[in-house]
Amino acid sequence: MMGTQRLWIAAAAGAAVLATNVMAPSPTAAQESTGAKLRVIASFSILGDFVRNVGGDRLEVATLVGPNGNAHVYSPSPADAKKVSDAKLVFVNGLGFEGWLDRLVKASATKAPIIVASKGIKPLERAGAHDRDHEHGSADPHAWQSVANAKIYISNIRDALIAADPAGKRDYESSAATYLARLDALERELRDTLGKIPLDRRRVITSHNAFGYFEAAYRIHFTAPQGVSTESEASAKDVAAIISATRKEKVSAVFLENVTDPRLVQQIASETGAKVGGLLYSDALTDEKGDAPTYIDLIRHNLRQLATALTS
Ligand SMILES: [Zn+2]
């Protein structure tokens, strides 16, 4: 009630100022009158959602790789360099995910701290015979696919925002606590639902190896013709190996992803008779109208797709 009232008064005062101003206010003046939000950047859409949930109204969050974008093969634009140079904080995933970042940071000449949101997470090795991306380091970058890890991202984001904007400490702490409680509930939902899937129905195929952390946390086994990055193409030999393994072993479903070419997975499905279980969101959210405009929606969507395909 109080908050609403105060807002109304502020809006009325703003209108009065505008009405008495003959000249249009400069952008700086307009910014100050709306309470100068802290401008921050997140490298990709999932991280942007995390930052928005902790920062709320105190922040103006921009992302570099947008909805349905593939951060593995992103090439930053001059507009991205401008966004980075305007930002007070730059949030990145780390673990070798944003191979293009160092050059962008240099080009932008930003002095903003670069916050590695995955700091403190135990990285998984880039696993599997199907991975030839070793030139970019040895860690699997897709740490957000485990909800326990997402909680570490949130704590890191909260601490970085408090350090940059101590006046917002209580807001950041309270928003982070609310969101962490939602993640706890999400984790219980995942374990309850996936726990009911029989052990011999837990093998699935996706296009690229983005679900290693999900596999380690929730015991669903993923195989992929492409490695943990999509920079290199799957080799014919790898695809043939997956096709023959799929014929021999019991694979319950193959899944498409929103950030990769669907043809490879469709080929595997048609050559083996494995059914296409639907679409999983791996490295990016959808836009507002899609199935996964937030991280929590993304995990719930993937959970429903897996549960349906592996129990029917
Ligand atoms: Zn990926």
Side-chain angles (χ1 to χ4, degrees):
M1 218 23 214
M2 277 289 283
T4 320
Q5 241 167 23
R6 218 179 292 144
L7 265 180
W8 275 108
I9 293 164
V17 169
L18 275 178
T20 53
N21 249 349
V22 184
M23 304 281 286
S26 73
T28 329
Q31 228 168 48
E32 274 162 19
S33 75
T34 56
K37 296 186 181 205
L38 191 70
R39 285 188 168 186
V40 307
I41 289 279
S43 59
F44 71 118
S45 55
I46 295 170
L47 190 54
D49 180 50
F50 288 157
V51 173
R52 283 189 190 98
N53 272 287
V54 181
D57 290 342
R58 299 189 69 88
L59 306 186
E60 190 181 309
V61 184
T63 54
L64 299 174
V65 185
N68 299 311
N70 183 345
H72 294 294
V73 293
Y74 188 66
S75 33
S77 66
D80 289 331
K82 173 84 172 73
K83 278 191 204 169
V84 171
S85 73
D86 289 347
K88 289 279 178 284
L89 283 177
V90 178
F91 289 96
V92 302
N93 183 73
L95 301 171
F97 190 49
E98 302 98 341
W100 37 268
L101 185 89
D102 286 351
R103 264 172 44 206
L104 175 63
V105 164
K106 261 196 204 105
S108 76
T110 182
K111 298 278 187 298
I114 312 292
I115 310 298
V116 178
S118 67
K119 193 180 138 206
I121 283 167
K122 192 168 172 277
L124 286 179
E125 297 281 311
R126 296 188 161 209
H130 305 295
D131 201 318
R132 294 170 313 285
D133 301 320
H134 291 284
E135 69 270 23
H136 292 297
S138 59
D140 176 345
H142 308 88
W144 61 86
Q145 287 290 349
S146 133
V147 175
N149 285 345
K151 291 166 64 179
I152 299 176
Y153 281 71
I154 296 301
S155 303
N156 288 333
I157 291 165
R158 177 198 58 209
D159 295 348
L161 288 173
I162 292 173
D165 176 25
K169 184 168 189 279
R170 280 176 62 182
D171 289 348
Y172 297 134
E173 281 173 348
S174 124
S175 306
T178 304
Y179 192 70
L180 287 170
R182 292 178 67 198
L183 292 181
D184 280 334
L186 183 66
E187 174 108 70
R188 281 194 297 276
E189 199 179 319
L190 275 165
R191 292 192 184 282
D192 288 352
T193 307
L194 296 175
K196 292 183 188 112
I197 296 171
L199 291 178
D200 66 344
R201 302 282 328 258
R202 293 174 171 229
R203 297 191 79 86
V204 300
I205 290 173
T206 54
S207 352
H208 92 295
N209 214 334
F211 295 94
Y213 293 89
F214 191 98
E215 170 163 339
Y218 312 113
R219 303 284 156 210
I220 300 292
H221 304 293
F222 290 84
T223 309
Q226 260 186 313
V228 297
S229 173
T230 61
E231 282 168 288
S232 44
E233 302 253 313
S235 73
K237 200 173 141 217
D238 288 342
V239 175
I242 286 191
I243 287 174
S244 90
T246 305
R247 286 192 181 122
K248 261 183 262 152
E249 294 162 31
K250 197 170 167 185
V251 168
S252 298
V254 300
F255 286 91
L256 311 176
E257 292 170 43
N258 62 329
V259 299
T260 53
D261 188 330
R263 284 174 297 187
L264 204 50
V265 161
Q266 279 158 348
Q267 181 200 342
I268 293 168
S270 75
E271 288 190 29
T272 60
K275 73 177 169 187
V276 176
L279 179 80
L280 296 180
Y281 295 109
S282 48
D283 298 13
L285 301 176
T286 63
D287 63 17
E288 281 302 316
K289 294 193 195 86
D291 294 320
T294 72
Y295 173 75
I296 290 178
D297 293 328
L298 175 151
I299 296 286
R300 282 225 172 92
H301 169 93
N302 288 354
L303 174 60
R304 275 196 303 268
Q305 296 270 297
L306 287 166
T308 307
L310 305 189
T311 52
S312 63

